[in-house]
Amino acid sequence: MIFIPHRPRHARSTSAPASGKHHAGAIPALLLIAGLAAGPSVAGEQTPQVTSELRERAVSTLRDVLEHQERWVKVHAAEFLLSLDYPEGVEKEFTEELERHGTEPEYRIGIWRVLAKAAYDPRENRRFIARIRDVFLDSAAPDRLHAAETLAKLGYAIPQETGAAGGGEPERQAFERAAGGGDSMAVYARWVLLNSDPRRDDSRLAEMLSSADARARGTAAYAIRHLASVSPATQHALVAAAAAEPRDSAAEIQIVCAMAVHAPAAQRAEWIARLRAFAEAADAKDRYHARQTLAQLAGPADLALLSRGLDDADADVRAASGYAVLRLGRRTHHRLFGLDWAVIAVYALGMLAVGWYYSRRTSTADDYLLGGRKMNPLSVGLSLFATLLSTISYLAYPGEMIRYGPMVLAMILAYPLVALIVGWLMIPFFMKLRVTSAYQILEMQLGLGVRMMGSIFFLSLRLLWMAVIIYATTDKILVPLMGLTSAATPWLCLALGAITITYTSMGGLRAVVLTDVLQTLILLGGAVLTVVVITVHLGGVANWWPTAWPAHWPEPRLYDPNERITFVGIVLATFTWWVCTSGSDQMAIQRYLATRDARAARQVLITTLGANVVVNLLLTCVGFSLLAFFRLNPHLVGDGQTILGDADRLFPQFIAVGFPAGLSGLVVAGLLAAAMSSLSSGVNSSSSVITVDFIDRFRRKENEIDQVRLARYVSVVVGAIVVALSAYVGVVQGNLLEVTYKVVNLITAPLFGLFFMAMFVPWAKGWATIAGAVCGMAVAITISFWKELTGTTGGISFLWAMPTSFVAQIAVGSLASLVPVGRRNRPAA
């Protein structure tokens, strides 16, 4: 049996995740987290008592409205079902509606809207949105107003390129023209312009709250109610409009709904009380809008009111009531038991103990930064694996499998070639040089300027990488599990950073490697445990293993640079990333140099690649099993989230809802292990680069004790910078796999390009190498952020950013080196 979820979500999430709060030292910070988060020792505590019977009744009500009602009532029920991950029958119903009524003005817009939301294929989604947009651009269309409203609600953003509209008028001008009026059309046009504005300036919508037309004021309030947040100025305008709005006006219900959502905290209870009164008003439209708004605001006290609405005489009200009941049931507070936090505390204390142990056995800078160059290859290989498998990867793979399917597994086919190229061409080159910083190689070959560029590239890459890891760990793991406010996120970042910095700065690379090995075992155990628990819950592997290619997974393609992922694209991107990282990243080269010889260093690489194969396959199973579990239990998805739209959040969500006490703590420890292993390695490697490439260049040589002390101080400073940056990273947008390739790996290929020029281009010159790197960066940025830079949806897949930028960089650098300007440095001995 296979459980297949439906399409990605286009609707916005109306509930933000919570967060947690900590401060100061490593152990007090963790204990404070445990105390705050555990609260009463309750896991899966359900404040709103939505029983399974009531939930089934609400779903049945929505399906009944979908099947037996007509036109816009049917549209509303379909949208409610889709937003709650109950898609069965929706697309079929509206495909039939399209055949019967697809040419009828007004209702055709509703049909296209539902089919756009139900579409699995982004191209199908865009096709229906284009139909709606074309109706708006047709000034003679009788349903132009409905088209404008639908575009606004779908979050449509005007592309930066202009297209013909009417008499050749660019699309943006068509919306600007419509926005200049004083009616509801102006409101919807301004809403679309707001969707298209990177600054999210909502002042033009707020202006419509003071319109002389009551209908326009109501439409403006309706639009503002649907915004995730509003500016202080718009909130002030809304409060003023609410105070001035006459009772029983046409705009009153929309003003009340908007105030219930966006009123200042001190006034919100008053407006929610008025909203409840409208939920039982005589007018069916008032009841519908009030109950739809209560869906995101209702508490336990509203359950009886909403339940009664399931028997309302008006079908639209019944649908809104069913939607509100199901949303209320999703607002369940799932927390970890005190036992879970005890497991996490033991894990953190163990990491600190390792750091303390090795701090007493480190006497030289070589011991601290390279482990004395005599470390075990198997341990170092597992350490490199744990380093490169950050929390981003640990969460991204299951999320990728859920949303896009197993095409990404083709990356495994690149590993043998990676082992050959890196193991037998690059590692011998590195091992014959007795260096501490990889970027010393660049100065030997190409001069100081290239070395400084390489060091700056590396530090920029890794500082951003570590900041994103900390933020992603708190935002997607700790925050949803703790039930605190988002204002506490910086303190969570501080606590996680403090623990990692403490054991890293104390024990150096030896502590990093040992803790990485332990963390590898923990994170593997967490993934295995997840698969086992879901298998037992669903009654066997056959109940979650896909036996057919689900409709929401893109069809596999061999090669197409315009497709998100293809076989050739993912293999080439994986090969490029591994070669670039293994051949230029201090975190990788530092581990090769920590072993005795080239043979041992190759064992490090092969161990790392082998561990990656195991984990890739294991996390694929995690993704498949999570997909089946939540498809069978959509009510356990977080409020305002969907299975496909929030696939990256399903793993931590399952930790909260699927495990008994103690086991949840073990899996959270696995997720923290993925983060802390990456952070510890990043801090240690960054410390070695800063110490050797910058500080030692400008200070006299000191004794070994002073050098170790300096390296520890630098580690603490690096960690502090990362923690500070993490507080400003913000919410990571989009699928985590794409974020990793677009942002975290943006400098990976340009950094390796410097080493390639040094190792394999005998005629390379320093200034030409720098020129090539600048060109490579420009190409990588253009491909990765094509949409943001041009406003178009064209451009090639993000997977091609690394290989394309690398080729451009080497071509420019090699050709420029032929220019008779400057000289080639003497090769390293």
Side-chain angles (χ1 to χ4, degrees):
M1 183 176 183
I2 176 73
F3 301 101
I4 302 175
H6 68 294
R7 52 85 179 156
R9 282 293 165 269
H10 305 289
R12 67 179 178 85
S13 172
T14 54
S15 67
S19 179
K21 194 168 191 171
H22 308 84
H23 192 273
I27 297 176
L30 184 73
L31 297 179
L32 179 58
I33 292 176
L36 286 172
S41 264
V42 178
E45 174 189 1
Q46 192 169 4
T47 303
Q49 297 300 317
V50 177
T51 63
S52 59
E53 292 79 10
L54 181 58
R55 183 172 60 250
E56 291 171 5
R57 185 180 166 210
V59 174
S60 177
T61 297
L62 284 168
R63 294 204 181 283
D64 180 74
V65 174
L66 172 70
E67 294 168 6
H68 298 103
Q69 299 300 317
E70 296 181 351
R71 306 182 74 81
W72 289 100
V73 178
K74 182 189 288 285
V75 169
H76 296 157
E79 290 181 311
F80 291 151
L81 286 167
L82 290 175
S83 69
L84 293 165
D85 285 308
Y86 294 98
E88 293 80 6
V90 172
E91 188 171 21
K92 178 178 180 295
E93 186 77 26
F94 274 83
T95 300
E96 294 174 357
E97 289 291 286
L98 182 65
E99 295 174 358
R100 290 192 294 262
H101 307 288
T103 59
E104 295 180 15
E106 296 187 10
Y107 184 42
R108 63 178 178 174
I109 300 296
I111 295 172
W112 296 340
R113 187 166 89 195
V114 171
L115 291 175
K117 289 186 173 185
Y120 295 110
D121 188 340
R123 290 170 295 190
E124 189 74 0
N125 167 264
R126 291 194 293 268
R127 185 169 69 87
F128 284 113
I129 291 178
R131 290 188 184 185
I132 300 167
R133 182 199 59 205
D134 290 343
V135 170
F136 169 77
L137 296 178
D138 181 2
S139 59
D143 47 358
R144 192 169 180 244
L145 179 66
H146 294 78
E149 176 188 1
T150 289
L151 289 171
K153 291 171 77 172
L154 288 175
Y156 177 74
I158 304 166
Q160 290 184 21
E161 81 275 16
T162 59
E169 182 184 22
E171 185 177 332
R172 177 172 290 276
Q173 291 182 18
F175 280 99
E176 290 285 2
R177 191 184 188 91
D183 55 3
S184 293
M185 174 64 82
V187 174
Y188 294 133
R190 294 182 186 204
W191 190 355
V192 171
L193 291 168
L194 172 60
N195 294 339
S196 312
D197 182 5
R199 299 170 301 147
R200 303 295 296 172
D201 182 5
D202 53 14
S203 60
R204 296 185 71 186
L205 268 183
E207 290 173 3
M208 298 300 294
L209 291 169
S210 58
S211 171
D213 181 355
R215 179 171 293 184
R217 293 196 303 274
T219 304
Y222 175 79
I224 289 170
R225 186 243 291 188
H226 282 82
L227 300 182
S229 61
V230 297
S231 65
T234 294
Q235 184 186 59
H236 180 77
L238 181 61
V239 170
E245 191 65 35
R247 290 294 181 110
D248 300 324
S249 76
E252 184 185 15
I253 177 59
Q254 301 300 346
I255 293 283
V256 170
C257 290
M259 285 293 287
V261 174
H262 293 302
Q267 302 179 30
R268 197 160 298 162
E270 170 194 347
W271 289 97
I272 291 177
R274 287 187 64 179
L275 187 67
R276 293 189 182 107
F278 271 106
E280 298 190 284
D283 186 278
K285 288 185 177 179
D286 288 350
R287 297 200 302 277
Y288 168 77
H289 286 294
R291 288 167 185 267
Q292 187 185 20
T293 305
L294 276 174
Q296 70 185 89
L297 302 172
D302 300 303
L303 189 56
L305 181 154
L306 298 174
S307 300
R308 290 195 300 271
L310 298 175
D311 297 316
D312 197 279
D314 185 87
D316 235 359
V317 175
R318 292 199 301 274
S321 299
Y323 173 61
V325 167
L326 292 171
R327 285 283 302 272
L328 182 58
R330 284 188 170 196
R331 283 197 286 279
T332 299
H333 298 295
H334 300 287
R335 291 187 176 183
L336 299 179
F337 278 107
L339 179 59
D340 295 314
W341 288 106
V343 170
I344 296 171
V346 168
Y347 159 74
L349 290 172
M351 299 300 101
L352 294 172
V354 170
W356 176 82
Y357 175 82
Y358 280 111
S359 70
R360 303 171 65 85
R361 286 160 174 77
T362 298
S363 57
T364 69
D366 226 30
D367 286 341
Y368 186 83
L369 297 175
L370 295 175
R373 301 181 189 264
K374 299 177 182 179
M375 301 193 69
N376 181 278
L378 177 62
S379 298
V380 177
L382 290 176
S383 172
L384 180 57
F385 155 75
T387 295
L388 299 178
L389 185 79
S390 66
T391 305
I392 297 175
S393 303
Y394 200 56
L395 293 175
Y397 276 92
E400 179 72 13
M401 293 302 153
I402 292 168
R403 176 59 191 91
Y404 295 105
M407 269 299 294
V408 72
L409 274 180
M411 67 172 55
I412 292 174
L413 299 178
Y415 291 171
L417 190 56
V418 170
L420 180 65
I421 298 297
V422 176
W424 275 266
L425 288 183
M426 296 184 183
I427 284 179
F429 181 90
F430 297 138
M431 296 304 293
K432 70 181 181 181
L433 304 175
R434 302 290 291 182
V435 296
T436 301
S437 165
Y439 309 104
Q440 292 172 266
I441 299 171
L442 296 178
E443 183 176 6
M444 294 175 183
Q445 303 291 88
L446 295 171
L448 178 61
V450 177
R451 175 180 179 176
M452 291 296 100
M453 172 174 269
S455 300
I456 292 170
F457 271 8
F458 170 77
L459 291 173
S460 301
L461 173 65
R462 288 307 165 196
L463 289 175
L464 177 62
W465 176 71
M466 289 186 283
V468 171
I469 287 172
I470 290 182
Y471 193 92
T473 303
T474 57
D475 180 60
K476 296 186 182 295
I477 300 172
L478 296 178
V479 157
L481 295 177
M482 297 178 62
L484 301 177
T485 66
S486 58
T489 297
W491 299 107
L492 270 175
C493 294
L494 177 61
L496 182 63
I499 297 169
T500 308
I501 294 166
T502 300
Y503 76 74
T504 303
S505 62
M506 285 194 300
L509 187 63
R510 284 198 182 103
V512 169
V513 168
L514 180 56
T515 54
D516 282 351
V517 172
L518 296 175
Q519 288 159 345
T520 298
L521 299 177
I522 292 172
L523 68 89
L524 287 175
V528 169
L529 194 57
T530 299
V531 174
V532 169
V533 169
I534 293 180
T535 300
V536 172
H537 179 82
L538 296 183
V541 173
N543 288 330
W544 58 259
W545 185 263
T547 57
W549 194 267
H552 72 276
W553 288 354
E555 287 297 321
R557 292 178 182 270
L558 178 63
Y559 170 77
D560 185 346
N562 297 312
E563 286 293 324
R564 180 180 178 275
I565 288 183
T566 63
F567 178 85
V568 172
I570 191 63
V571 171
L572 182 58
T574 302
F575 172 77
T576 305
W577 185 87
W578 273 99
V579 170
C580 290
T581 300
S582 300
S584 65
D585 196 308
Q586 173 71 6
M587 294 196 307
I589 296 175
Q590 183 181 25
R591 279 160 176 74
Y592 305 148
L593 297 174
T595 59
R596 294 179 184 272
D597 51 32
R599 183 172 179 273
R602 275 195 290 270
Q603 292 177 17
V604 170
L605 175 66
I606 292 170
T607 300
T608 301
L609 292 172
N612 267 277
V613 171
V614 173
V615 166
N616 288 344
L617 295 174
L618 181 56
L619 291 179
T620 296
C621 293
V622 171
F624 288 167
S625 59
L626 287 171
L627 172 61
F629 177 84
F630 283 105
R631 187 65 191 92
L632 188 63
N633 301 281
H635 60 283
L636 294 178
V637 177
D639 184 36
Q641 300 176 9
T642 59
I643 292 173
L644 300 187
D646 299 274
D648 293 328
R649 295 181 181 271
L650 294 186
F651 196 175
Q653 178 72 4
F654 179 78
I655 293 170
V657 303
F659 285 124
L663 292 184
S664 292
L666 181 62
V667 179
V668 171
L671 289 163
L672 292 177
M676 295 172 73
S677 62
S678 299
L679 293 173
S680 62
S681 298
V683 168
N684 187 265
S685 299
S686 298
S687 172
S688 68
V689 169
I690 292 172
T691 301
V692 175
D693 288 6
F694 293 98
I695 297 177
D696 286 353
R697 181 173 297 279
F698 302 107
R699 65 196 299 269
R700 62 182 178 84
K701 188 79 171 179
E702 296 185 348
N703 61 53
E704 293 290 352
I705 294 177
D706 288 337
Q707 284 190 295
V708 171
R709 184 182 299 115
L710 172 64
R712 285 174 174 158
Y713 289 157
V714 171
S715 294
V716 172
V717 172
V718 168
I721 292 172
V722 169
V723 170
L725 286 175
S726 69
Y728 298 96
V729 168
V731 177
V732 178
Q733 298 294 325
N735 177 280
L736 278 177
L737 184 74
E738 294 182 47
V739 170
T740 301
Y741 274 92
K742 287 183 176 181
V743 179
V744 178
N745 293 334
L746 188 65
I747 312 176
T748 301
L751 177 58
F752 175 66
L754 303 178
F755 282 83
F756 186 92
M757 295 289 290
M759 290 187 288
F760 303 117
V761 181
W763 64 90
K765 296 175 181 177
W767 71 267
T769 299
I770 293 173
V774 172
C775 178
M777 277 294 299
V779 171
I781 291 171
T782 301
I783 294 175
S784 297
F785 300 100
W786 177 267
K787 182 178 179 180
E788 290 80 1
L789 293 173
T790 68
T792 69
T793 55
I796 61 177
S797 168
F798 64 91
L799 291 177
W800 292 88
M802 283 191 291
T804 306
S805 64
F806 173 73
V807 170
Q809 177 176 350
I810 299 307
V812 171
S814 299
L815 291 174
S817 294
L818 297 175
V819 176
V821 176
R823 63 185 180 86
R824 171 78 164 92
N825 275 37
R826 179 178 299 176

